[in-house]
Amino acid sequence: MKFIKVDTYEKLSRSAANIIAAQVIAKPHAVLGLATGSTPIGAYTRLAEMCDAGDVDFSLTSTVNLDEYVGLSPANDQSYRYFMDKNLFSKININKDATSVPNGCAEDLDAECERYDALIADKGGIDLQLLGIGIDGHIGFNEPDEVFEKGTHVVTLDPSTIEANARFFASRDEVPRKAITMGMQAIMQAKKVLLIANGKNKEAILHAALFGPITPKVPASILQLHPDLTVIYSEV
Ligand code: PGA
């Protein structure tokens, strides 16, 4: 594992963007696994600047996002599809058809999970997976559990996740209770994993995940087994 500690969110964002851009420059057809949440926004802004400056070209790149709330359509401004379009895809020269987010409004959610895993497999897997970490140790929406779930699946969100994400909604009651998330197989089979965490409130869970026992009670702890993991942490 490569652990990079920086002293500002700006530096975290620039470092993360540099690693993602380097992947795309080295392999224009790269498959990027992408994340939502507040942590990656700075990196996405920086990638858009690099793209504008002509330093990175996303025209051949494709993406698969980690997760989506059940019941929120792409037009809903709290959906992760909306987030990705707003914060990244509309600002870079990516082919929108090459971007994928699970469909949280699918009539048959189990079929949607199977479709998503098949789509990732068809792309040949993920070259670089970007991850945030929840205060409960989740990656994607793989919440603390008795087992590591292998494939894309429907989850019931942990009360701490609902609480943490309520800040993006008008009220706690509006936070969806369920989500679709990529499972551990696609994440662990990514050739590289880049985990970013920002803020003192992430320090304890990050330490538990990276240096504690490998357990589904701390889902991110499985990353200790990944052969190419980079972690960037900024306290502020
Ligand atoms: P955050 O979310 O970036 O908004 O802190 C991270 C996560 O829950 O994975």
Side-chain angles (χ1 to χ4, degrees):
M1 172 182 54
K2 193 188 284 180
F3 187 88
I4 304 169
K5 190 170 176 192
V6 292
D7 54 9
T8 64
Y9 176 68
E10 166 73 13
K11 287 184 192 165
L12 176 152
S13 300
R14 291 178 88 92
S15 301
N18 284 344
I19 291 169
I20 297 166
Q23 171 69 70
V24 173
I25 291 164
K27 184 179 178 186
H29 285 91
V31 179
L32 300 177
L34 296 179
T36 51
S38 49
T39 314
I41 291 177
Y44 292 160
T45 303
R46 180 70 194 132
L47 284 172
E49 288 167 3
M50 293 167 98
C51 184
D52 264 356
D55 291 332
V56 57
D57 174 7
F58 291 93
S59 60
L60 300 175
T61 306
S62 67
T63 67
V64 285
N65 258 79
L66 283 166
D67 44 18
E68 179 61 282
Y69 288 117
V70 166
L72 299 195
S73 78
N76 186 310
D77 63 6
Q78 300 299 344
S79 74
Y80 286 168
R81 163 52 81 178
Y82 188 98
F83 174 102
M84 290 308 301
D85 289 348
K86 175 170 164 239
N87 290 295
L88 186 66
F89 301 148
S90 64
K91 297 182 179 170
I92 60 174
N93 67 335
I94 199 162
N95 171 7
K96 184 90 185 293
D97 293 341
T99 68
S100 301
V101 179
N103 176 7
C105 288
E107 257 177 50
D108 183 340
L109 291 172
D110 290 337
E112 172 59 11
C113 292
E114 278 177 35
R115 182 194 72 84
Y116 208 68
D117 281 334
L119 178 142
I120 296 168
D122 276 357
K123 289 178 183 291
I126 296 164
D127 290 295
L128 170 63
Q129 177 65 56
L130 176 67
L131 297 172
I133 183 169
I135 46 167
D136 63 355
H138 70 211
I139 47 177
F141 273 137
N142 289 280
E143 297 284 27
D145 201 347
E146 299 303 318
V147 293
F148 290 114
E149 287 269 359
K150 186 172 155 192
T152 298
H153 57 286
V154 176
V155 288
T156 299
L157 298 178
D158 208 71
S160 71
T161 299
I162 292 169
E163 199 62 51
N165 290 3
R167 70 190 193 276
F168 299 115
F169 291 80
S171 76
R172 192 183 185 282
D173 290 344
E174 283 183 30
V175 185
R177 278 9 189 195
K178 285 185 185 292
I180 296 183
T181 184
M182 199 187 278
M184 293 305 192
Q185 183 171 34
I187 294 172
M188 288 300 285
Q189 287 181 348
K191 293 187 188 77
K192 288 174 191 291
V193 174
L194 172 58
L195 175 69
I196 55 176
N198 170 233
K200 194 80 182 144
N201 65 335
K202 295 283 176 77
E203 195 173 20
I205 193 63
L206 195 61
H207 193 272
L210 300 178
F211 305 108
I214 297 169
T215 163
K217 303 273 185 211
V218 182
S221 65
I222 199 172
L223 298 173
Q224 291 181 41
L225 299 175
H226 196 280
D228 190 347
L229 169 66
T230 299
V231 180
I232 311 177
Y233 172 63
S234 138
E235 206 175 273
V236 287

